[in-house]
Amino acid sequence: MRAFLVLLLIALPALAEPIGYDGARHLLSRTGFGVTEPEVRALSGLTRAEAVERILGEARRESVQPPPAFMSVPAIAYESVRALSVEERLAWQRGNLEQGMQLREWWLREMLETPSPFTERMTLFWHNHFATGAQKVRIAHLLYRQNVLLR
């Protein structure tokens, strides 16, 4: 407990200092996917605490992009795929692969166009933490719902 208080007393004055150009660039590169000059300049005059508050305050819970088109069609339960004929199962697999590609395209577009790169960076962090992907999950509907949950 004593060590925590000492660290807190040391860190508090640093939070009140201006973050500066290099600090703003570093913070933005760690919380997003790319840094633009106007973004760095906008944060560089703030204190460290204000810069962090701004990034956290701009975080969103919903995506900017509308859901992929396949989300309007109910998913087939994976267990029921076994009951399909060989031709139907192959068609289902092709459709599912296509849906996975649409999902990737949707999320990449979201990462590029979002006004909250921090949200997408954290969504990607948790997605990688739980080690899920199209090859393991195999149903794009479930991966989309996980993405929404993580966001």
Side-chain angles (χ1 to χ4, degrees), residues 11-40:
L12 282 178
L15 289 175
E17 294 176 10
I19 194 167
Y21 183 88
D22 289 337
R25 187 174 52 77
H26 179 74
L27 179 62
L28 287 168
S29 69
R30 299 293 289 172
T31 60
F33 294 108
V35 181
T36 65
E37 188 67 24
E39 290 171 331
V40 174

mmCIF file of all heavy atoms in Angstrom, residues 11-40:
data_model
loop_
_atom_site.group_PDB
_atom_site.id
_atom_site.type_symbol
_atom_site.label_atom_id
_atom_site.label_comp_id
_atom_site.label_asym_id
_atom_site.label_seq_id
_atom_site.Cartn_x
_atom_site.Cartn_y
_atom_site.Cartn_z
ATOM 1 N N ALA A 11 3.534 10.176 -9.714
ATOM 2 C CA ALA A 11 2.844 10.253 -11.007
ATOM 3 C C ALA A 11 1.921 11.458 -11.123
ATOM 4 O O ALA A 11 1.719 11.978 -12.219
ATOM 5 C CB ALA A 11 2.050 8.979 -11.250
ATOM 6 N N LEU A 12 1.333 11.917 -10.037
ATOM 7 C CA LEU A 12 0.365 13.019 -10.115
ATOM 8 C C LEU A 12 0.928 14.280 -10.755
ATOM 9 O O LEU A 12 0.276 14.865 -11.627
ATOM 10 C CB LEU A 12 -0.214 13.307 -8.729
ATOM 11 C CG LEU A 12 -1.279 12.331 -8.252
ATOM 12 C CD1 LEU A 12 -1.743 12.677 -6.848
ATOM 13 C CD2 LEU A 12 -2.448 12.276 -9.201
ATOM 14 N N PRO A 13 2.117 14.755 -10.381
ATOM 15 C CA PRO A 13 2.633 15.955 -11.046
ATOM 16 C C PRO A 13 2.858 15.746 -12.543
ATOM 17 O O PRO A 13 2.649 16.656 -13.339
ATOM 18 C CB PRO A 13 3.953 16.237 -10.324
ATOM 19 C CG PRO A 13 3.847 15.541 -9.015
ATOM 20 C CD PRO A 13 2.960 14.359 -9.256
ATOM 21 N N ALA A 14 3.253 14.528 -12.952
ATOM 22 C CA ALA A 14 3.485 14.255 -14.374
ATOM 23 C C ALA A 14 2.199 14.346 -15.170
ATOM 24 O O ALA A 14 2.202 14.743 -16.337
ATOM 25 C CB ALA A 14 4.124 12.888 -14.549
ATOM 26 N N LEU A 15 1.067 14.004 -14.565
ATOM 27 C CA LEU A 15 -0.214 14.087 -15.268
ATOM 28 C C LEU A 15 -0.605 15.520 -15.564
ATOM 29 O O LEU A 15 -1.329 15.796 -16.511
ATOM 30 C CB LEU A 15 -1.315 13.403 -14.453
ATOM 31 C CG LEU A 15 -1.247 11.890 -14.382
ATOM 32 C CD1 LEU A 15 -2.321 11.358 -13.434
ATOM 33 C CD2 LEU A 15 -1.403 11.282 -15.759
ATOM 34 N N ALA A 16 -0.128 16.455 -14.754
ATOM 35 C CA ALA A 16 -0.481 17.859 -14.931
ATOM 36 C C ALA A 16 0.436 18.571 -15.920
ATOM 37 O O ALA A 16 0.151 19.698 -16.317
ATOM 38 C CB ALA A 16 -0.452 18.568 -13.582
ATOM 39 N N GLU A 17 1.521 17.928 -16.327
ATOM 40 C CA GLU A 17 2.437 18.539 -17.288
ATOM 41 C C GLU A 17 1.867 18.431 -18.701
ATOM 42 O O GLU A 17 1.166 17.473 -19.026
ATOM 43 C CB GLU A 17 3.787 17.823 -17.247
ATOM 44 C CG GLU A 17 4.540 17.974 -15.953
ATOM 45 C CD GLU A 17 5.822 17.161 -15.948
ATOM 46 O OE1 GLU A 17 6.214 16.628 -17.014
ATOM 47 O OE2 GLU A 17 6.414 17.035 -14.872
ATOM 48 N N PRO A 18 2.204 19.401 -19.571
ATOM 49 C CA PRO A 18 1.779 19.276 -20.974
ATOM 50 C C PRO A 18 2.384 18.019 -21.597
ATOM 51 O O PRO A 18 3.526 17.660 -21.323
ATOM 52 C CB PRO A 18 2.332 20.536 -21.640
ATOM 53 C CG PRO A 18 2.607 21.474 -20.522
ATOM 54 C CD PRO A 18 2.911 20.644 -19.314
ATOM 55 N N ILE A 19 1.612 17.379 -22.440
ATOM 56 C CA ILE A 19 2.082 16.141 -23.054
ATOM 57 C C ILE A 19 3.119 16.421 -24.129
ATOM 58 O O ILE A 19 4.001 15.618 -24.364
ATOM 59 C CB ILE A 19 0.892 15.306 -23.601
ATOM 60 C CG1 ILE A 19 1.351 13.896 -23.918
ATOM 61 C CG2 ILE A 19 0.235 15.986 -24.777
ATOM 62 C CD1 ILE A 19 0.219 12.922 -24.159
ATOM 63 N N GLY A 20 3.025 17.548 -24.787
ATOM 64 C CA GLY A 20 3.986 17.922 -25.828
ATOM 65 C C GLY A 20 3.742 17.160 -27.128
ATOM 66 O O GLY A 20 2.921 16.246 -27.207
ATOM 67 N N TYR A 21 4.488 17.578 -28.151
ATOM 68 C CA TYR A 21 4.317 16.996 -29.487
ATOM 69 C C TYR A 21 4.689 15.513 -29.510
ATOM 70 O O TYR A 21 3.917 14.675 -29.974
ATOM 71 C CB TYR A 21 5.166 17.775 -30.498
ATOM 72 C CG TYR A 21 4.988 17.290 -31.905
ATOM 73 C CD1 TYR A 21 3.977 17.809 -32.706
ATOM 74 C CD2 TYR A 21 5.819 16.311 -32.438
ATOM 75 C CE1 TYR A 21 3.802 17.356 -34.004
ATOM 76 C CE2 TYR A 21 5.649 15.848 -33.725
ATOM 77 C CZ TYR A 21 4.633 16.378 -34.510
ATOM 78 O OH TYR A 21 4.455 15.918 -35.782
ATOM 79 N N ASP A 22 5.871 15.183 -29.007
ATOM 80 C CA ASP A 22 6.325 13.784 -29.042
ATOM 81 C C ASP A 22 5.443 12.881 -28.182
ATOM 82 O O ASP A 22 5.132 11.755 -28.564
ATOM 83 C CB ASP A 22 7.781 13.676 -28.587
ATOM 84 C CG ASP A 22 8.754 14.247 -29.605
ATOM 85 O OD1 ASP A 22 8.382 14.326 -30.796
ATOM 86 O OD2 ASP A 22 9.872 14.612 -29.203
ATOM 87 N N GLY A 23 5.028 13.384 -27.026
ATOM 88 C CA GLY A 23 4.156 12.599 -26.155
ATOM 89 C C GLY A 23 2.798 12.360 -26.790
ATOM 90 O O GLY A 23 2.238 11.259 -26.709
ATOM 91 N N ALA A 24 2.257 13.384 -27.452
ATOM 92 C CA ALA A 24 0.962 13.240 -28.129
ATOM 93 C C ALA A 24 1.064 12.249 -29.274
ATOM 94 O O ALA A 24 0.188 11.400 -29.458
ATOM 95 C CB ALA A 24 0.484 14.605 -28.630
ATOM 96 N N ARG A 25 2.152 12.351 -30.043
ATOM 97 C CA ARG A 25 2.343 11.413 -31.161
ATOM 98 C C ARG A 25 2.458 9.982 -30.648
ATOM 99 O O ARG A 25 1.854 9.054 -31.196
ATOM 100 C CB ARG A 25 3.586 11.802 -31.962
ATOM 101 C CG ARG A 25 3.775 11.000 -33.235
ATOM 102 C CD ARG A 25 4.930 11.522 -34.081
ATOM 103 N NE ARG A 25 6.174 11.679 -33.363
ATOM 104 C CZ ARG A 25 6.995 10.673 -33.028
ATOM 105 N NH1 ARG A 25 6.688 9.444 -33.366
ATOM 106 N NH2 ARG A 25 8.109 10.906 -32.379
ATOM 107 N N HIS A 26 3.198 9.791 -29.563
ATOM 108 C CA HIS A 26 3.359 8.456 -28.988
ATOM 109 C C HIS A 26 2.026 7.915 -28.463
ATOM 110 O O HIS A 26 1.662 6.765 -28.732
ATOM 111 C CB HIS A 26 4.387 8.488 -27.856
ATOM 112 C CG HIS A 26 4.597 7.173 -27.190
ATOM 113 N ND1 HIS A 26 5.294 6.142 -27.784
ATOM 114 C CD2 HIS A 26 4.177 6.691 -25.999
ATOM 115 C CE1 HIS A 26 5.312 5.096 -26.988
ATOM 116 N NE2 HIS A 26 4.632 5.395 -25.889
ATOM 117 N N LEU A 27 1.289 8.747 -27.738
ATOM 118 C CA LEU A 27 -0.002 8.318 -27.195
ATOM 119 C C LEU A 27 -0.968 7.939 -28.318
ATOM 120 O O LEU A 27 -1.625 6.899 -28.255
ATOM 121 C CB LEU A 27 -0.610 9.424 -26.331
ATOM 122 C CG LEU A 27 -1.982 9.130 -25.722
ATOM 123 C CD1 LEU A 27 -1.914 7.939 -24.770
ATOM 124 C CD2 LEU A 27 -2.521 10.361 -25.013
ATOM 125 N N LEU A 28 -1.037 8.761 -29.343
ATOM 126 C CA LEU A 28 -1.946 8.470 -30.461
ATOM 127 C C LEU A 28 -1.523 7.221 -31.227
ATOM 128 O O LEU A 28 -2.379 6.445 -31.670
ATOM 129 C CB LEU A 28 -2.029 9.669 -31.399
ATOM 130 C CG LEU A 28 -2.811 10.857 -30.851
ATOM 131 C CD1 LEU A 28 -2.597 12.085 -31.715
ATOM 132 C CD2 LEU A 28 -4.291 10.528 -30.748
ATOM 133 N N SER A 29 -0.232 7.001 -31.362
ATOM 134 C CA SER A 29 0.207 5.802 -32.090
ATOM 135 C C SER A 29 -0.055 4.535 -31.269
ATOM 136 O O SER A 29 -0.237 3.459 -31.838
ATOM 137 C CB SER A 29 1.687 5.901 -32.461
ATOM 138 O OG SER A 29 2.499 5.832 -31.309
ATOM 139 N N ARG A 30 -0.105 4.650 -29.951
ATOM 140 C CA ARG A 30 -0.381 3.489 -29.104
ATOM 141 C C ARG A 30 -1.876 3.215 -28.945
ATOM 142 O O ARG A 30 -2.262 2.131 -28.547
ATOM 143 C CB ARG A 30 0.239 3.692 -27.714
ATOM 144 C CG ARG A 30 1.741 3.842 -27.714
ATOM 145 C CD ARG A 30 2.451 2.606 -28.106
ATOM 146 N NE ARG A 30 2.307 1.641 -27.029
ATOM 147 C CZ ARG A 30 2.683 0.390 -27.101
ATOM 148 N NH1 ARG A 30 3.244 -0.056 -28.181
ATOM 149 N NH2 ARG A 30 2.517 -0.418 -26.088
ATOM 150 N N THR A 31 -2.707 4.202 -29.226
ATOM 151 C CA THR A 31 -4.149 4.036 -29.019
ATOM 152 C C THR A 31 -4.944 4.022 -30.310
ATOM 153 O O THR A 31 -6.171 3.977 -30.274
ATOM 154 C CB THR A 31 -4.700 5.156 -28.110
ATOM 155 O OG1 THR A 31 -4.455 6.429 -28.717
ATOM 156 C CG2 THR A 31 -4.080 5.103 -26.733
ATOM 157 N N GLY A 32 -4.282 4.051 -31.444
ATOM 158 C CA GLY A 32 -4.981 4.044 -32.725
ATOM 159 C C GLY A 32 -4.181 3.284 -33.764
ATOM 160 O O GLY A 32 -3.295 2.501 -33.434
ATOM 161 N N PHE A 33 -4.481 3.550 -35.032
ATOM 162 C CA PHE A 33 -3.827 2.828 -36.120
ATOM 163 C C PHE A 33 -2.979 3.718 -37.009
ATOM 164 O O PHE A 33 -2.388 3.269 -37.957
ATOM 165 C CB PHE A 33 -4.880 2.126 -36.990
ATOM 166 C CG PHE A 33 -5.592 1.039 -36.252
ATOM 167 C CD1 PHE A 33 -6.894 1.211 -35.866
ATOM 168 C CD2 PHE A 33 -4.956 -0.146 -35.940
ATOM 169 C CE1 PHE A 33 -7.572 0.212 -35.182
ATOM 170 C CE2 PHE A 33 -5.613 -1.148 -35.254
ATOM 171 C CZ PHE A 33 -6.926 -0.965 -34.877
ATOM 172 N N GLY A 34 -2.946 4.976 -36.738
ATOM 173 C CA GLY A 34 -2.180 5.911 -37.534
ATOM 174 C C GLY A 34 -2.336 7.286 -36.922
ATOM 175 O O GLY A 34 -3.305 7.569 -36.226
ATOM 176 N N VAL A 35 -1.360 8.127 -37.166
ATOM 177 C CA VAL A 35 -1.367 9.448 -36.556
ATOM 178 C C VAL A 35 -1.283 10.486 -37.655
ATOM 179 O O VAL A 35 -0.460 10.375 -38.557
ATOM 180 C CB VAL A 35 -0.160 9.594 -35.599
ATOM 181 C CG1 VAL A 35 -0.159 10.951 -34.940
ATOM 182 C CG2 VAL A 35 -0.151 8.500 -34.564
ATOM 183 N N THR A 36 -2.142 11.475 -37.567
ATOM 184 C CA THR A 36 -2.071 12.593 -38.500
ATOM 185 C C THR A 36 -1.533 13.815 -37.765
ATOM 186 O O THR A 36 -1.660 13.936 -36.546
ATOM 187 C CB THR A 36 -3.453 12.921 -39.101
ATOM 188 O OG1 THR A 36 -4.313 13.378 -38.056
ATOM 189 C CG2 THR A 36 -4.058 11.712 -39.806
ATOM 190 N N GLU A 37 -0.955 14.701 -38.514
ATOM 191 C CA GLU A 37 -0.385 15.928 -37.941
ATOM 192 C C GLU A 37 -1.428 16.753 -37.186
ATOM 193 O O GLU A 37 -1.156 17.196 -36.059
ATOM 194 C CB GLU A 37 0.258 16.758 -39.060
ATOM 195 C CG GLU A 37 1.034 17.947 -38.584
ATOM 196 C CD GLU A 37 2.291 17.574 -37.805
ATOM 197 O OE1 GLU A 37 2.819 16.469 -37.984
ATOM 198 O OE2 GLU A 37 2.736 18.418 -37.002
ATOM 199 N N PRO A 38 -2.633 16.952 -37.732
ATOM 200 C CA PRO A 38 -3.635 17.715 -36.969
ATOM 201 C C PRO A 38 -4.020 17.051 -35.645
ATOM 202 O O PRO A 38 -4.260 17.743 -34.648
ATOM 203 C CB PRO A 38 -4.839 17.782 -37.914
ATOM 204 C CG PRO A 38 -4.277 17.586 -39.271
ATOM 205 C CD PRO A 38 -3.087 16.690 -39.097
ATOM 206 N N GLU A 39 -4.073 15.722 -35.617
ATOM 207 C CA GLU A 39 -4.403 15.024 -34.372
ATOM 208 C C GLU A 39 -3.320 15.253 -33.319
ATOM 209 O O GLU A 39 -3.618 15.483 -32.141
ATOM 210 C CB GLU A 39 -4.563 13.524 -34.623
ATOM 211 C CG GLU A 39 -5.780 13.151 -35.423
ATOM 212 C CD GLU A 39 -5.792 11.685 -35.825
ATOM 213 O OE1 GLU A 39 -4.715 11.074 -35.988
ATOM 214 O OE2 GLU A 39 -6.895 11.140 -35.979
ATOM 215 N N VAL A 40 -2.059 15.183 -33.738
ATOM 216 C CA VAL A 40 -0.954 15.396 -32.803
ATOM 217 C C VAL A 40 -0.993 16.820 -32.267
ATOM 218 O O VAL A 40 -0.878 17.055 -31.060
ATOM 219 C CB VAL A 40 0.411 15.094 -33.476
ATOM 220 C CG1 VAL A 40 1.565 15.454 -32.551
ATOM 221 C CG2 VAL A 40 0.489 13.640 -33.877
#
